[in-house]
Amino acid sequence: MKRFLPLCGFLLAAGIASAQQYIVTTVAGTGTSPGWSGDGGPALSAQFTNPIRVAVDTSGNLYIADYSNYSVRKVFKSNGFATSIAGNGSLGFSGDGSSGIGSQLSNILDIAVDSSGNVYIADSLNSRVRRVDPSGTITTYAGNGSRGYAGDGGLASNATLYFPAGLAVDAAGDLYIADYGNATVRKVTKSTGVISTVAGVGYSVFGASPGDGGPATKAFFQMPYSVGVDAAGNIYVGDIGSSSIRRIGTDGKIATYVTNFVAQNFAMDAAGAIYYADYKTNTVQKILPGGTRLWIGGNGTAGWSGDGGPATAAQFNLPYGVAVDSSGNVFVADAANAVIRRLAPVPFSIGAVANAANLQGFAPPVSGSGDATKPIAPGEIVVLFGTGLGPANLTVAAPQNGFFPTTLAGTQVLINGTAAPLIYTSAGLVAAIVPYSVYGLNSAQVSVVYQGNISSVSTLPVAPTAPGIFTANASGSGQAAALNQNGTLNSASNPATAGSIVTLYATGEGQTSPAGVNGKVAGTTNLTIPLQQVSVTIGGLPANIAYAGGAPTLVAGVMQVNVEVPSGFAASNAVPVVLQIGGVNSPAVTIAVSAQ
């Protein structure tokens, strides 16, 4: 048998990532039928038709792009009443210089609000950006109504745009425009009214190198549809053609920031987190500055339900737009339900529970499945992501009399009322071991007690197994935390050979024989064996297992698998490895294998 690294070396996986639970409510719209009514009354009695975008000002007032009514509506924070501020309900172009309420707009694709209360409207079909000032007067701010790409260096109102789709305003009041038809990002400087191009070459390019690492003005976009700017002045561009978000630094250089981005627009908070609504899966997601992606709303099935409860248990129907206010409330344009929903953060809550090895707890559901949470298994080591869960500084547990403690620095994790053994605790992250008493259950309630206060309760599905293989960088993917036969770490510079034994470490194997004991540190003899059948593939080929069971000197819930590297594939630094327990596959990781 082989002993690996200290247990905490596996688990300090998520850095400073944090999450929290959100409670969902409807703040505008009846949800019963589309329409255009309710101005001057409560927003919850107003009707909308296909609201696709939302924005929020510094006072907390909400602005709604009521797309199919060709209007922009405002909901006052002070009394919750709704009113129109632009658009008369008919498609067209008119009204400049007069009240925005009597104007005509065409295909409103975004709205933005500056600190002075000016509201900017992407009047896309008119190839203009319109502005409604605090007095209610509407004017054209950018674009002369002709479709084209011209005017840089002159007044924005004389320039040509081509289907402006996304808008953002920075701290100085400068406006950024995702000029969709020209595959560029344009900037209008507030102090001068002059327009310039800050990214893109003026036409769409598909299939070519996007230009990452170079000047943004020489980079290629496919379909830039949304734009945002952070507190430091970095610009973010949502390119729906490449399903990515690109980031333009203050040095003018561009890089791909987010991949697998399936959304029409996004919002950013003061800390730089990105929020977006995935209309394909009917979910709302959050990307932390470090790249961790969290699922915060929607259960994956189209519908309208869940108000008053956890947002992840709610139903949305074609959510397209999001906005976030200074308090962290996330507003969602729930288009097919013709309502606006609010996700209010719960200060002391669990936002996600993930297998400690693979961090597979954040994954939103596949559209229609309604299953957005990965199940937990008896004995599985999990990481709870949340807020207020423990002390500000990370505290790591040490075994006491051969057992990991169930209370650490004032933190307890209760799973169906049983205190779980703890590996470490902090305000945003807690690593715990699922008690073996959940064996045979279909679900379990999870909560955290910190300094005598109890968090909101999360209900998670339970499965017999939920395998995950620990990785070298604790990211949940890539190089496995594996040992070669000689006891050294497997790596690109130290690969395994065919026919040799590689040792893997995993969690989520479920109940064992003899039955697992919560928090017990294993000895070197009489080790537990999982009840469920275990198999491994390496490079897609079945691999012979020399041993699969408890890991000597490590806590119950860590499984060691000694497996023989098969012959039959070329040398590689990234040969995929999949562990299957009880018919459930782990996410693939990799090992390095030398030439045969």
Side-chain angles (χ1 to χ4, degrees):
M1 300 296 176
K2 298 176 181 177
R3 185 178 186 278
F4 193 53
L5 304 172
L7 180 60
C8 209
F10 298 140
L11 298 177
L12 293 178
I16 59 171
S18 61
Q20 58 197 151
Q21 192 179 101
Y22 291 79
I23 300 298
V24 65
T25 55
T26 297
V27 296
T30 64
T32 54
S33 60
W36 191 37
S37 69
D39 279 358
L44 287 170
S45 299
Q47 288 180 299
F48 302 84
T49 302
N50 200 21
I52 64 167
R53 300 287 186 271
V54 282
V56 62
D57 66 19
T58 55
S59 299
N61 301 309
L62 188 66
Y63 301 81
I64 303 163
D66 194 359
Y67 181 79
S68 295
N69 285 323
Y70 311 110
S71 65
V72 176
R73 318 280 287 277
K74 178 179 180 178
V75 178
F76 293 92
K77 183 180 181 180
S78 58
N79 59 13
F81 276 33
T83 188
S84 292
I85 65 166
N88 64 10
S90 62
L91 180 73
F93 172 71
S94 68
D96 272 4
S98 59
S99 172
I101 297 174
S103 64
Q104 288 180 298
L105 304 165
S106 297
N107 286 31
I108 306 166
L109 292 184
D110 205 3
I111 43 181
V113 190
D114 68 18
S115 59
S116 300
N118 296 295
V119 181
Y120 301 89
I121 304 166
D123 191 1
S124 181
L125 218 76
N126 287 320
S127 287
R128 302 172 187 255
V129 176
R130 313 283 286 279
R131 183 180 71 178
V132 179
D133 66 24
S135 73
T137 300
I138 191 169
T139 56
T140 292
Y141 190 71
N144 63 15
S146 299
R147 295 173 188 168
Y149 177 48
D152 279 359
L155 290 176
S157 56
N158 294 331
T160 53
L161 307 173
Y162 203 145
F163 296 149
L167 301 175
V169 182
D170 67 15
D174 299 331
L175 179 70
Y176 297 84
I177 305 166
D179 194 357
Y180 169 74
N182 288 318
T184 60
V185 177
R186 316 280 287 274
K187 175 182 177 180
V188 181
T189 302
K190 181 179 181 180
S191 59
T192 62
V194 170
I195 193 169
S196 58
T197 295
V198 296
V201 297
Y203 51 87
S204 298
V205 177
F206 294 82
S209 175
D212 282 359
T217 51
K218 296 186 180 299
F220 295 136
F221 292 95
Q222 295 181 17
M223 299 178 183
Y225 210 73
S226 52
V227 63
V229 60
D230 67 17
N234 300 298
I235 304 164
Y236 300 79
V237 186
D239 187 346
I240 61 174
S242 61
S243 300
S244 67
I245 295 177
R246 313 279 292 283
R247 178 182 180 274
I248 304 161
T250 54
D251 60 359
K253 293 184 178 180
I254 193 168
T256 297
Y257 188 70
V258 173
T259 58
N260 192 28
F261 173 70
V262 184
Q264 289 192 353
N265 92 322
F266 62 91
M268 302 188 73
D269 66 18
I274 292 173
Y275 302 78
Y276 67 95
D278 185 338
Y279 61 90
K280 290 188 176 181
T281 61
N282 293 301
T283 61
V284 184
Q285 298 180 48
K286 176 180 180 179
I287 304 173
L288 300 177
T292 299
R293 195 178 305 229
L294 306 175
W295 156 64
I296 64 172
N299 71 1
T301 56
W304 185 42
S305 69
D307 276 5
T312 48
Q315 290 178 302
F316 294 81
N317 196 353
L318 295 182
Y320 282 120
V322 295
V324 59
D325 69 14
S326 59
S327 298
N329 296 296
V330 182
F331 297 90
V332 182
D334 194 0
N337 287 323
V339 296
I340 306 301
R341 315 282 286 277
R342 179 181 64 206
L343 278 59
V346 180
F348 181 23
S349 62
I350 303 166
V353 178
N355 181 298
N358 58 49
L359 302 184
Q360 294 281 309
F362 306 133
V366 175
S367 182
S369 75
D371 179 14
T373 302
K374 301 295 183 182
I376 58 175
E380 180 184 358
I381 303 177
V382 294
V383 176
L384 283 63
F385 292 70
T387 56
L389 304 182
N393 296 321
L394 183 78
T395 301
V396 179
Q400 302 168 6
N401 299 317
F403 288 84
F404 274 79
T406 57
T407 300
L408 180 64
T411 299
Q412 276 191 321
V413 174
L414 300 179
I415 300 181
N416 264 20
T418 299
L422 302 179
I423 308 299
Y424 63 75
T425 182
S426 67
L429 294 170
V430 177
I433 305 172
V434 178
Y436 285 96
S437 57
V438 304
Y439 179 62
L441 301 181
N442 293 319
S443 64
Q445 292 190 323
V446 182
S447 61
V448 173
V449 178
Y450 180 56
Q451 295 183 341
N453 299 311
I454 189 166
S455 74
S456 57
V457 176
S458 297
T459 301
L460 301 178
V462 176
T465 68
I469 303 172
F470 289 103
T471 57
N473 64 3
S475 69
S477 62
Q479 172 68 47
L483 299 179
N484 292 331
Q485 186 164 316
N486 62 5
T488 59
L489 282 170
N490 179 270
S491 66
S493 60
N494 189 31
T497 58
S500 68
I501 299 294
V502 169
T503 298
L504 306 171
Y505 293 87
T507 191
E509 75 271 27
Q511 186 56 280
T512 61
S513 177
V517 178
N518 295 338
K520 183 179 180 181
V521 177
T524 57
T525 60
N526 301 318
L527 296 167
T528 59
I529 302 298
L531 294 181
Q532 304 292 326
Q533 184 175 356
V534 179
S535 62
V536 175
T537 60
I538 299 178
L541 301 176
N544 295 324
I545 294 176
Y547 169 78
T553 74
L554 296 182
V555 70
V558 178
M559 179 186 182
Q560 178 175 317
V561 182
N562 299 342
V563 60
E564 182 180 340
V565 179
S567 302
F569 48 81
S572 173
N573 292 333
V575 177
V577 178
V578 175
L579 170 66
Q580 185 181 88
I581 307 177
V584 178
N585 287 340
S586 72
V589 298
T590 63
I591 61 171
V593 178
S594 65
Q596 306 297 323

